[in-house]
Amino acid sequence: MALIETQDIHKIYAMDENPVYALNGVTLSIDKGEFVAIMGPSGSGKSTFMSILGCLDKPTRGTYKLDGIEVDRMTRDELARVRNEKIGFVFQGYNLLSRANALENVELPMIYRGVPASERRKRALEALKIMGLADRAHHLPSQLSGGQQQRVAIARSLVNNAPLLMADEPTGNLDTKTSIEIMELLVRLNEESGITIVLVTHESDIAAFSHRIVRFLDGRVVSDERKG
Amino acid sequence: MIGIGETVKISLRALRSNKMRSFLTMLGMIIGVGAVVAMLAIGQGASRKISEQIASMGSNMLLVLPGAQTSGGLRMGMGTQMTLTYDDALAIERECSAVSAVAPSVQGVVQLVYGNQNWSTVVYGTTPGIFEVRDLTMKSGRPLLDQDVRNSTKVCVLGQTVVDNLFGDTDPVGQIIRIKKVPFVVVGVVDERGPNAFGHDQDDVAYIPLTTAQKKILGTKFSGTVRSIGVKAKSADLLDKAEEQITELLKQRHRIGPRGEADFTVRNLTQLMQTAQESSRVMTLLLGAIASVSLLVGGIGIMNIMLVSVTERTREIGIRMAVGARTWDIRFQFLMEALTLALIGGIIGILVGWLTSIWIGRMAGWSIFVSPLAIVLAFSFSALVGIFFGFYPAYKASLMQPVDALRYE
């Protein structure tokens, strides 16, 4: 069953004179439980597509169904709710709140969902434990290594039990050894918890961890390969 | 939806992480609110002081004095001609509809003796009407009565200052004192009034029946004349009416034509004081308005810092939006931050203003009054400033596109 279904997605940035055509009709379907890597050179539209899949941006044209719900014409606040409940984000730059400790960062999505404080704490600690960071709960991001920060970010993406995890160059700032650790963690999450993962990367050895590689060029899908 | 408690926590953390900046922004509010509170305290202190003086003088009071006040020809000075009589006073009470009480009196500074103590004070020979005209209340004993005047009894009612100087701790009521060697029975003591508008001690006084005073103590050259007639109007609105009626009646009685120069003067003391109070009220408003300008500047400081803060924290806003913060959540967070700045600044400002006004009051010898209303007003005004000047930055933050906010460097 499809978790993500896009139909002829266009994204045009209206600059003063010359409009920029970032996406030119992307039709893609991703099933529940898939681990998909989106690849392409910079300017290929993969990041724009990622933002639309993550409900951070809206397509200019085309339809997008997430988990059976049409999200392409939703209001800002409705999209915020979809992001909160259905999508977890992991970014290249970790994007943790610098003034909040690991635990508070993990609690953040639950704050906006209205989860009571004690329950929030319990769930956040649990998620940190799964990430092997139980003893780092009260450290600030600046006191953690890159790999640890990325694991905090992954913990944050998990606490609301979102079915979809969007990872935007999650290993971009990490060394090879840590990159592999993080990727193995994602693979484990995909296999054990059945979380659908969409990964954007330009490194083929990182993409190799996925089961399906979609390549972008000039705002279009140019290839879509499944492993095995 | 995010709760208030969470938002306050987030705001406090954000303000704490930039202590110097938060403090300087608050300083603007502290100075603004402090100035407003101090100015209002000084202005209201002056107003209240005047109100107290009006009340201590007796409300709705007119004073009829003999002699003319306007210039022209040679005058011997007010009061040298004894043109007012006891009968004039009775006529005013009887015929002027706007008048509720009259108190004709003669007065003089006389030595009082009790045992081995003596004290010089102002002795008023008057009628029971004085108690109503001056709003006097009894601390102990009884006031003067009509029969005291009728029978020229030798009784007196004393002010607290006289009691303190003659009696010490002894209960004066029932004791006998000598006024100009004539023995008088003390029948009562009036409540304390404090100094009047001109610093005169209104408790340094003794009241005796008018007739007794005329015969035994302050014998006047023209019998039946009085030095002044205190008049109480029925209400503040009737003060002018009473003045008019008295002038007309006395001119008639003294056979002076409508255009002739009166041989008496009617003074409206209450009106005089009310004018003073009115001008002090205007002064308070003016001072408050000037101080409000600095509060406005403080508010602009908050807006400025919040705009900087929103720009600096674009990425934070992006992160919060990515994990599910709604428009209102973001707006509320920044609004709360501005409000926290304004309120903490406001509360410190109230304290600073309070202390400053006490200090100014002590240095300049002014009376200061920090009214609860002024504090509530200053507090709610700071909240209003926070909300008003915090709204635009918060609005700006809440309308960011999550994708742009996240990519902001």
Side-chain angles (χ1 to χ4, degrees):
Chain A
M1 190 200 161
L3 180 70
I4 289 172
E5 275 184 290
T6 71
Q7 194 71 46
D8 198 27
I9 293 266
H10 289 252
K11 182 70 183 180
I12 303 159
Y13 292 108
M15 300 303 183
D16 299 334
E17 298 273 303
N18 312 309
V20 177
Y21 295 89
L23 292 175
N24 300 304
V26 179
T27 301
L28 192 69
S29 168
I30 296 172
D31 283 342
K32 269 186 183 148
E34 275 196 279
F35 190 156
V36 184
I38 294 176
M39 295 192 71
S42 53
S44 61
K46 63 178 195 297
S47 288
T48 305
F49 187 60
M50 176 86 185
S51 299
I52 290 172
L53 288 191
C55 294
L56 295 167
D57 206 352
K58 286 192 207 178
T60 312
R61 253 195 356 255
T63 59
Y64 170 25
K65 263 192 199 168
L66 173 63
D67 210 6
I69 317 161
E70 282 196 32
V71 293
D72 47 87
R73 290 291 168 266
M74 278 187 165
T75 64
R76 288 173 63 94
D77 286 353
E78 286 167 340
L79 286 175
R81 186 176 173 152
V82 168
R83 288 196 296 271
N84 185 258
E85 292 174 359
K86 300 215 178 290
I87 308 170
F89 291 92
V90 176
F91 301 94
Q92 177 174 5
Y94 323 127
N95 274 340
L96 299 174
L97 297 181
S98 55
R99 285 190 294 260
N101 64 31
L103 186 66
E104 289 164 330
N105 265 292
V106 177
E107 282 186 40
L108 197 60
M110 293 186 283
I111 287 179
Y112 292 113
R113 198 175 193 163
V115 178
S118 57
E119 158 110 24
R120 233 159 49 202
R121 182 145 293 235
K122 208 182 91 205
R123 272 160 66 177
L125 272 171
E126 214 166 290
L128 281 174
K129 211 158 106 191
I130 294 169
M131 293 297 122
L133 288 170
D135 55 335
R136 295 281 188 276
H138 297 284
H139 286 56
L140 291 176
S142 56
Q143 298 165 321
L144 298 172
S145 72
Q148 287 171 330
Q149 288 188 54
Q150 198 59 295
R151 279 186 283 159
V152 173
I154 295 172
R156 182 179 68 188
S157 72
L158 296 176
V159 285
N160 267 356
N161 300 318
L164 175 63
L165 197 156
M166 310 282 311
D168 190 358
E169 305 264 12
T171 59
N173 290 7
L174 303 174
D175 60 39
T176 317
K177 185 170 161 284
T178 319
S179 296
I180 291 169
E181 279 173 27
I182 292 291
M183 288 317 294
E184 280 170 347
L185 195 56
L186 291 181
V187 169
R188 216 179 75 209
L189 282 174
N190 174 247
E191 284 171 355
E192 289 175 10
S193 317
I195 294 170
T196 310
I197 297 180
V198 178
L199 166 81
V200 171
T201 184
H202 60 268
E203 293 171 76
S204 31
D205 48 344
I206 293 299
F209 283 91
S210 68
H211 307 141
R212 178 182 171 193
I213 297 178
V214 178
R215 281 173 210 278
F216 271 66
L217 193 65
D218 297 330
R220 284 193 178 83
V221 175
V222 288
S223 79
D224 186 351
E225 307 162 10
R226 275 169 214 268
K227 261 200 230 169
Chain B
M1 223 346 238
I2 187 166
I4 288 185
E6 289 299 330
T7 313
V8 171
K9 236 168 79 186
I10 293 169
S11 309
L12 287 176
R13 175 185 289 152
L15 297 177
R16 259 206 311 275
S17 70
N18 232 322
K19 286 198 189 71
M20 190 62 178
R21 184 202 281 180
S22 302
F23 172 72
L24 287 175
T25 312
M26 274 180 206
L27 196 59
M29 284 303 289
I30 293 172
I31 293 172
V33 172
V36 169
V37 168
M39 290 304 140
L40 289 183
I42 291 168
Q44 287 194 309
S47 264
R48 253 171 80 101
K49 178 98 184 166
I50 294 168
S51 299
E52 275 168 21
Q53 285 166 350
I54 291 175
S56 78
M57 213 169 56
S59 53
N60 308 331
M61 186 177 158
L62 295 168
L63 197 61
V64 186
L65 295 168
Q69 196 177 25
T70 46
S71 62
L74 183 64
R75 287 281 181 276
M76 296 300 286
M78 211 190 298
T80 46
Q81 286 171 290
M82 301 305 281
T83 54
L84 292 178
T85 63
Y86 183 52
D87 291 338
D88 283 338
L90 293 178
I92 290 171
E93 185 166 35
R94 202 170 50 237
E95 287 175 35
C96 298
S97 59
V99 169
S100 69
V102 295
S105 40
V106 293
Q107 73 208 57
V109 177
V110 175
Q111 206 73 12
L112 273 54
V113 178
Y114 172 72
N116 56 358
Q117 299 290 320
N118 72 92
W119 182 253
S120 152
T121 191
V122 183
V123 172
Y124 285 90
T126 186
T127 63
I130 193 85
F131 294 92
E132 196 184 335
V133 170
R134 293 202 176 183
D135 293 330
L136 295 172
T137 46
M138 299 307 295
K139 188 179 177 192
S140 60
R142 64 164 177 88
L144 296 179
L145 301 172
D146 282 327
Q147 63 253 36
D148 291 328
V149 178
R150 217 181 301 127
N151 304 334
S152 306
T153 53
K154 285 175 258 178
V155 294
C156 66
V157 172
L158 302 179
Q160 190 59 43
T161 305
V162 178
V163 171
D164 291 343
N165 282 289
L166 285 184
F167 294 93
D169 294 331
T170 320
D171 179 13
V173 177
Q175 303 292 333
I176 290 170
I177 62 170
R178 286 171 187 279
I179 301 176
K180 249 189 177 177
K181 296 191 176 122
V182 182
F184 278 76
V185 180
V186 179
V187 294
V189 177
V190 289
D191 278 319
E192 280 182 76
R193 316 222 65 173
N196 72 3
F198 316 103
H200 180 74
D201 183 2
Q202 299 179 98
D203 301 316
D204 191 1
V205 71
Y207 300 101
I208 60 175
L210 177 68
T211 46
T212 319
Q214 285 172 327
K215 284 176 198 158
K216 311 265 181 188
I217 310 294
L218 306 160
T220 47
K221 277 176 258 171
F222 316 98
S223 63
T225 58
V226 294
R227 283 281 297 275
S228 65
I229 303 172
V231 177
K232 190 187 183 72
K234 278 183 175 145
S235 74
D237 297 334
L238 288 173
L239 269 170
D240 289 335
K241 180 93 175 152
E243 189 175 341
E244 211 174 279
Q245 289 176 348
I246 292 165
T247 308
E248 200 182 324
L249 176 73
L250 289 183
K251 275 188 167 181
Q252 225 171 59
R253 287 179 59 85
H254 296 185
R255 299 198 168 75
I256 298 165
R259 269 179 293 281
E261 207 174 307
D263 58 355
F264 58 91
T265 309
V266 183
R267 272 202 198 165
N268 189 338
L269 296 182
T270 307
Q271 207 172 48
L272 208 73
M273 292 310 248
Q274 273 165 352
T275 310
Q277 191 174 29
E278 190 55 42
S279 61
S280 92
R281 202 170 294 147
V282 170
M283 201 65 189
T284 308
L285 268 179
L286 208 66
L287 288 173
I290 292 167
S292 304
V293 173
S294 54
L295 192 58
L296 193 74
V297 174
I300 294 170
I302 288 183
M303 185 152 162
N304 189 19
I305 246 34
M306 288 311 295
L307 282 173
V308 171
S309 177
V310 165
T311 309
E312 272 180 0
R313 285 152 65 192
T314 301
R315 198 169 253 270
E316 176 194 326
I317 295 166
I319 295 168
R320 290 184 183 277
M321 284 177 167
V323 301
R326 272 160 254 192
T327 315
W328 177 248
D329 294 328
I330 299 293
R331 199 171 293 177
F332 191 49
Q333 179 191 331
F334 282 93
L335 207 54
M336 211 58 198
E337 217 169 295
L339 190 65
T340 309
L341 266 177
L343 283 186
I344 295 178
I347 291 168
I348 299 175
I350 288 171
L351 290 175
V352 167
W354 195 332
L355 294 176
T356 308
S357 60
I358 289 172
W359 180 73
I360 290 176
R362 201 160 293 164
M363 297 297 284
W366 296 340
S367 70
I368 293 298
F369 178 64
V370 181
S371 69
L373 181 73
I375 287 174
V376 171
L377 217 67
F379 187 80
S380 28
F381 210 65
S382 343
L384 215 66
V385 163
I387 290 169
F388 183 80
F389 288 100
F391 188 81
Y392 176 67
Y395 177 77
K396 217 181 130 187
S398 70
L399 286 192
M400 285 181 183
Q401 290 300 324
V403 63
D404 300 331
L406 273 171
R407 287 197 190 129
Y408 184 85
E409 292 299 328

